[in-house]
């Protein structure tokens, strides 16, 4: 089975002091940590969607074995980043069975959790495997190839939620064993960094 792992890291993060993707986390940055975990997972290739501050962020990733995708329309929100990323992956013409979509600002997600999602896709025979937290489906989530076209047409800030809702009969919800908290404010980051982000 071939899985593409797509990390969304295109946002501007106005509420943060500085570029959120480059904030320190362990011995790297938030984005660097997300990439490191993704590369340890059982995915065939890791792709990263950049947008705001792409020219500053991209050089910090030169040593990583990833494919960078730039979303020039990042201001259109998360959905546009998914669409640009999935369209790019489709155009590579690699025979991927599924795409695992995740966010760069969920630093408590590790490779083991990505592998749980990948294993569930194989075992449950569901077309979508979504993380479940607070009784709601969310990302990280895996989408079967039959959803690639639909994903490539997203253009709203809701991301893939629309598909998770409309295709709920096809969704297997995996109770999250990882903490899926995402970092939206300086206080979020400071608290999580002090507890988990130091080397």
């Amino acid at each position: 089975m071939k899985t593409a792992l797509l990390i969304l890291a295109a946002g501007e993060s106005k509420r943060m002091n500085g570029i959120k993707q480059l904030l320190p986390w362990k011995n790297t940055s938030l984005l660097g940590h997300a990439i490191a975990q993704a590369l340890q997972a059982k995915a065939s290739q890791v792709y990263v969607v950049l947008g705001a501050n792409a020219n500053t962020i991209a050089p910090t990733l030169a040593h990583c074995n990833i494919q960078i995708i730039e979303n020039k329309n990042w201001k259109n929100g998360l959905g546009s980043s998914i669409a640009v990323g999935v369209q790019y992956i489709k155009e590579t013409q690699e025979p991927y069975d599924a795409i695992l979509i995740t966010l760069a600002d969920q630093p408590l997600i590790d490779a083991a959790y990505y592998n749980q999602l990948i294993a569930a896709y194989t075992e449950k025979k569901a077309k979508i495997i979504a993380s479940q937290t607070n009784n709601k489906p969310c990302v990280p989530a895996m989408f079967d190839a039959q959803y690639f076209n639909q994903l490539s047409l997203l253009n709203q800030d809701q991301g893939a939620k629309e598909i998770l809702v409309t295709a709920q009969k096809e969704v297997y919800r995996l109770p999250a064993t990882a903490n899926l908290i995402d970092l939206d404010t300086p206080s979020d980051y400071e608290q999580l960094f002090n507890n988990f982000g130091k080397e």
Side-chain angles (χ1 to χ4, degrees):
M1 188 186 78
K2 290 196 70 168
T3 301
L5 200 156
L6 182 66
I7 301 174
L8 305 178
E12 187 177 20
S13 311
K14 285 184 179 179
R15 288 178 285 180
M16 284 292 187
N17 299 320
I19 300 173
K20 177 164 69 169
Q21 295 92 327
L22 299 182
L23 290 173
W25 191 268
K26 296 193 183 289
N27 61 348
T28 178
S29 63
L30 277 176
L31 179 53
H33 178 72
I35 290 170
Q37 296 305 309
L39 288 171
Q40 290 174 45
K42 295 176 181 176
S44 305
Q45 178 66 50
V46 175
Y47 298 85
V48 177
V49 180
L50 299 180
N53 305 302
N55 291 340
T56 303
I57 298 168
T60 71
L61 308 177
H63 63 289
C64 299
N65 183 25
I66 59 169
Q67 294 279 335
I68 293 176
I69 304 162
E70 186 172 355
N71 177 15
K72 295 186 182 298
N73 297 314
W74 57 268
K75 288 184 179 179
N76 292 342
L78 204 59
S80 73
S81 288
I82 293 173
V84 167
V86 173
Q87 184 61 36
Y88 180 97
I89 291 169
K90 281 173 57 185
E91 289 173 1
T92 66
Q93 297 186 337
E94 289 287 338
Y96 289 114
D97 298 286
I99 291 177
L100 198 170
I101 297 174
T102 191
L103 306 176
D105 61 353
Q106 295 177 302
L108 300 186
I109 294 176
D110 58 13
Y113 184 64
Y114 290 142
N115 287 340
Q116 285 183 41
L117 288 162
I118 293 169
Y121 173 77
T122 304
E123 294 163 7
K124 301 299 179 182
K125 306 299 182 187
K127 297 300 182 184
I128 300 174
I129 307 292
S131 300
Q132 177 173 285
T133 186
N134 299 324
N135 206 32
K136 294 179 181 177
C138 60
V139 294
M142 285 193 69
F143 294 86
D144 183 82
Q146 77 175 51
Y147 285 97
F148 289 4
N149 286 341
Q150 202 170 339
L151 288 165
S152 69
L153 295 174
L154 292 175
N155 60 10
Q156 300 175 356
D157 198 32
Q158 290 187 1
K161 286 181 183 176
E162 176 186 337
I163 296 175
L164 293 177
V165 171
T166 57
Q168 55 187 307
K169 289 182 180 178
E170 297 279 357
V171 178
Y172 175 81
R173 298 187 184 191
L174 181 71
T177 58
N179 188 328
L180 306 186
I181 188 170
D182 56 355
L183 304 180
D184 291 324
T185 66
S187 60
D188 289 343
Y189 167 71
E190 185 177 349
Q191 182 177 353
L192 218 61
F193 177 80
N194 287 333
N195 288 330
F196 302 102
K198 297 178 180 179
E199 288 187 57

